[in-house]
Every structure is written in C-alpha cells, then in structure tokens.
Amino acid sequence: MAKKTVNNDVLLANIIKGIEEVKGNDISILDLREIDAAVCDYFIVCNGNSNTQVNAIVGSIQKTVSKELKDKPWHVEGTDNAEWVLMDYVHIVVHVFQKHIREYYNIESLWGDAKITTIENKY
C-alpha cells in the first residue's frame, strides 16, 4: 500500500503545535525549496532546556502528527542522549536540540540561503 501524501503546510502546523504543547523554544522554519542541493523542503529547528524536554518535544510532535494526520516519521535518531534529535518526515526534517548544542552547530547559518521564519513563543 502506498504511503499517504500529507500536505506540507498541514504537517508543518502540526509539528509546530507539538513543539508548543511542551514549551519548545526558539522555533525556526527554514524554507529550503529554492536551494538546489537541499535534502528536503523544510527544516524545523527548536530547542529544549534538557534531554528530558528534548525527548518530550519529540514525543509530543509524534503524538500530534499521528493523531491529526495518521502519519509518522520515516526515521528518528538521537533519542539516546537527546542532545540533538532528528525527525525525518521526508519533505520536512525536524531538528530538536538542547540549547548549547544548537548554538554550537548553528544549523541556520549552514543553510544561510534559506528563507527563515521565526515562530514567537506563545508563553
């Protein structure tokens, strides 16, 4: 059976909702669609304050997307130490960092040609 195609805008909205429900910080959306060698359409980057919160964000995203869209990530890695968890939804890749790890890797600067949208914290 073929994998159901999920609308990117709806998936983005549900991922953001999952992050916000457990107070993930500094949410950025990187639009990579205009970049030739991009591996996907969007990166969503956020951070938590501890490995416990990083794993809570990952769990909340999975729960929200599964409940609303009946979809799950193609691949997830990094949950063992929860410093940088990557969730691959094929067209959208989510990076959930601990703050110091995010600052170290500075993924936004690596994709400097991307259009970046920052989501204001709601709390």
Side-chain angles (χ1 to χ4, degrees):
M1 188 163 106
K3 185 171 166 56
K4 181 179 71 149
T5 305
V6 175
N7 178 306
N8 277 350
D9 293 338
V10 175
L11 181 55
L12 275 169
N14 279 279
I15 290 169
I16 301 297
K17 179 181 174 188
I19 295 168
E20 290 176 339
E21 285 189 358
V22 288
K23 296 184 171 39
N25 297 310
D26 305 321
I27 304 167
S28 295
I29 301 170
L30 284 67
D31 186 340
L32 307 173
R33 293 175 295 176
E34 301 293 318
I35 299 174
D36 289 339
V39 295
C40 61
D41 292 339
Y42 296 96
F43 279 169
I44 298 178
V45 184
C46 70
N47 53 265
N49 297 318
S50 65
N51 57 348
T52 303
Q53 188 183 18
V54 165
N55 277 328
I57 292 167
V58 170
S60 180
I61 293 168
Q62 288 178 315
K63 182 178 169 187
T64 302
V65 170
S66 175
K67 181 180 171 190
E68 298 294 327
L69 304 175
K70 310 289 187 261
D71 197 13
K72 61 183 182 178
W74 176 71
H75 183 72
V76 176
E77 62 184 66
T79 54
D80 289 347
N81 66 6
E83 290 183 342
W84 176 2
V85 177
L86 182 142
M87 305 174 72
D88 186 347
Y89 281 94
V90 182
H91 295 288
I92 299 172
V93 174
V94 184
H95 299 270
V96 184
F97 289 96
Q98 286 188 40
K99 187 174 176 71
H100 68 284
I101 301 294
R102 181 178 182 174
E103 289 168 355
Y104 178 81
Y105 285 103
N106 195 6
I107 216 167
E108 289 92 340
S109 72
L110 294 174
W111 294 91
D113 293 343
K115 180 179 175 244
I116 299 177
T117 304
T118 304
I119 308 293
E120 293 297 319
N121 290 346
K122 291 186 174 183
Y123 43 89

